[in-house]
């Protein structure tokens, strides 16, 4: 992939709360996965358009919540940012450095600063490795400590996530889901990262445990000055932890704004539908549920114009043929919609 040309400044939503350069900057990022062909000799090659033309910035110390239905491209975007998979087009800048221009040695060094916490605490830990090896693996690979110093560092990391040093000699199956996720977080922190992609880190946990893990992540962020991309489909959790929220639909960002703006003044019809589905225990403040017809279209054959128009209750003729641009309005509130544009 060739380095991206300088982006149009208006294409990237502005974070008006920012005080300096962004830690993560994504420019026109796209990813297509090959999906065979039509089956005829010389037939059309098919592809899955997982992420299309995404632009966003994440400031140091910020938590950006990324929300969307299953299959919207959230996890793929997270892995593209970490360069775990190669983009089809576009670029990712980390602390001002274009990841596509880095050699293997430079990228390996930079990977210490970018880590991933997985969704499933049962599948993300090697069942044959003891906690000492799971948490200490990154320390060994990057040669950060040896011997007693390494053991002390592992014990420190476990204490940081609320576990005792006795856990070091145990296997993953001996722990609950919440404890396993704490081990996964300790593993991610072992190499002293600055940026974490949290890929639905609490969706596989009980509600009471979810709250504990969210509080732990917030405490660690404040203590270690971390920056988060928090991927989720639970809008209640996102509201609790995020500074800003980006809404993703069929591989594209359709709205991005501060947390309060998204929850109090949603613009895009898809965002409104998602928020209307949040359960409320207060009968007097239950929003009217917006039911969307059908299902999200296939990323192999996305609709023309606005990808959301086949399900949108407000769609106009222009929505069928013209793709709306993500435009930024007052306060950095950006939305891609012909009917409810940025104000």
């Amino acid at each position: 992939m060739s380095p991206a040309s300088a982006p149009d400044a208006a294409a990237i939503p502005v974070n008006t709360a920012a005080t300096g350069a962004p830690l993560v900057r994504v420019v026109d990022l796209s990813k297509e996965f090959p999906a065979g062909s039509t089956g005829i000799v010389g037939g059309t090659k098919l592809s899955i358009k997982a992420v299309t033309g995404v632009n966003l910035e994440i400031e140091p110390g910020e938590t950006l919540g990324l929300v969307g239905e299953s299959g919207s491209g959230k996890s793929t975007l997270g892995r593209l940012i970490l360069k775990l998979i190669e983009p089809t087009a576009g670029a990712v800048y980390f602390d001002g450095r274009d990841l596509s221009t880095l050699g293997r040695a430079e990228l390996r060094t930079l990977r210490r600063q970018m880590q991933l916490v997985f969704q499933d605490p049962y599948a993300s830990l090697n069942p044959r490795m003891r906690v000492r090896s799971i948490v200490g693996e990154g320390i060994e690979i990057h040669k950060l400590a040896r011997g007693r110093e390494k053991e002390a560092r592992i014990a420190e990391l476990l204490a940081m996530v609320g576990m005792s040093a006795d856990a070091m000699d145990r296997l993953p199956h001996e722990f609950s889901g919440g404890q396993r996720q704490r081990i996964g977080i300790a593993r991610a922190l072992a190499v002293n990262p600055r940026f974490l992609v949290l890929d639905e880190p609490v969706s596989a946990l009980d509600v009471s445990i979810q709250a504990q893990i969210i509080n732990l992540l917030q405490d660690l962020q404040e203590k270690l000055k971390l920056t988060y991309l928090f991927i989720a489909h639970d809008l209640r959790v996102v509201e609790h932890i995020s500074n800003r929220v980006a809404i993703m639909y069929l591989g594209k960002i359709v709205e991005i704004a501060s947390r309060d703006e998204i929850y109090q003044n949603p613009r895009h019809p898809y965002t409104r539908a998602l928020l209307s589905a949040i359960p409320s225990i207060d009968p007097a403040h239950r929003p009217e549920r917006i039911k969307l017809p059908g299902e999200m279209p296939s990323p192999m054959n996305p609709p023309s114009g606005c990808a959301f128009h086949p399900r949108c209750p407000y769609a106009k003729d222009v929505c069928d043929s013209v793709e709306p641009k993500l435009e930024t309005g007052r306060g950095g509130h950006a939305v891609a919609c012909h009917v409810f544009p940025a104000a």
Side-chain angles (χ1 to χ4, degrees):
M1 182 189 66
S2 60
S5 58
D8 179 358
I12 300 179
V14 178
N15 179 6
T16 56
T19 56
L23 181 64
V24 177
R25 187 166 175 245
V26 175
V27 181
D28 294 331
L29 197 63
S30 297
K31 179 63 180 179
E32 295 186 12
F33 294 99
S37 65
T38 54
I40 332 172
V41 176
T44 305
K45 292 184 177 180
L46 303 176
S47 64
I48 297 172
K49 298 174 177 61
V51 173
T52 305
V54 168
N55 292 283
L56 57 81
E57 295 180 348
I58 308 176
E59 302 296 327
E62 178 184 33
T63 297
L64 176 65
L66 183 61
V67 180
E69 294 174 87
S70 296
S72 61
K74 306 184 301 297
S75 295
T76 301
L77 178 57
R79 283 160 173 75
L80 285 168
I81 290 174
L82 295 177
K83 205 173 169 57
L84 296 177
I85 54 178
E86 291 290 334
T88 305
V92 177
Y93 296 84
F94 184 84
D95 203 14
R97 303 177 71 185
D98 184 349
L99 299 188
S100 67
T101 66
L102 301 182
R104 181 178 296 181
E106 291 178 298
L107 187 59
R108 178 171 176 166
T109 300
L110 196 63
R111 284 199 189 282
R112 279 185 52 192
Q113 301 184 45
M114 307 181 294
Q115 292 292 307
L116 173 65
V117 176
F118 297 90
Q119 175 181 359
D120 188 352
Y122 296 92
S124 63
L125 304 181
N126 189 328
R128 297 184 179 182
M129 291 176 66
R130 300 191 182 275
V131 171
R132 170 184 277 102
S133 299
I134 291 172
V135 177
E137 190 172 26
I139 298 174
E140 283 189 12
I141 290 172
H142 291 281
K143 301 177 181 180
L144 301 179
R146 299 178 61 185
R148 291 182 180 178
E149 185 181 356
K150 175 187 163 186
E151 293 289 301
R153 175 60 177 160
I154 295 171
E156 179 188 13
L157 288 162
L158 290 174
M160 201 179 292
V161 298
M163 299 190 70
S164 69
D166 297 339
M168 281 198 284
D169 294 314
R170 295 164 64 186
L171 294 166
H173 75 266
E174 301 178 62
F175 298 97
S176 67
Q179 290 173 320
R180 292 186 196 193
Q181 197 60 294
R182 290 174 186 268
I183 294 168
I185 294 169
R187 174 178 59 186
L189 296 177
V191 293
N192 302 312
R194 299 168 62 194
F195 174 60
L196 293 183
V197 172
L198 305 164
D199 190 2
E200 304 212 34
V202 298
S203 63
L205 306 176
D206 293 339
V207 174
S208 59
I209 306 301
Q210 287 183 7
Q212 295 177 19
I213 298 299
I214 291 297
N215 290 336
L216 171 64
L217 289 170
Q218 290 180 311
D219 291 343
L220 291 170
Q221 182 176 39
E222 183 177 353
K223 180 179 180 180
L224 302 176
K225 311 301 180 187
L226 297 170
T227 302
Y228 292 156
L229 174 64
F230 189 90
I231 299 170
H233 60 267
D234 189 333
L235 282 156
R236 294 171 301 178
V237 173
V238 171
E239 183 180 18
H240 185 72
I241 195 172
S242 302
N243 302 111
R244 288 188 303 140
V245 179
I247 308 297
M248 197 166 188
Y249 185 80
L250 206 62
K252 301 176 182 179
I253 301 295
V254 298
E255 186 166 9
I256 182 168
S258 68
R259 174 189 59 199
D260 292 343
E261 271 291 299
I262 287 290
Y263 283 84
Q264 296 173 18
N265 183 31
R267 301 288 297 170
H268 199 280
Y270 181 59
T271 308
R272 298 181 185 191
L274 291 177
L275 291 173
S276 76
I278 300 176
S280 174
I281 60 174
D282 186 354
H285 294 88
R286 287 180 182 169
E288 182 179 352
R289 178 72 184 272
I290 301 173
K291 296 182 179 180
L292 300 177
E295 297 181 355
M296 187 165 59
S298 168
M300 289 182 64
N301 186 27
S304 60
C306 174
F308 185 63
H309 85 260
R311 305 173 70 190
C312 181
Y314 309 101
K316 298 180 178 179
D317 290 342
V318 66
C319 304
D320 298 352
S321 55
V322 180
E323 180 181 350
K325 294 182 179 180
L326 186 67
E327 297 182 339
T328 304
R330 291 192 300 269
H333 193 151
V335 61
C337 185
H338 294 301
V339 183
F340 302 103

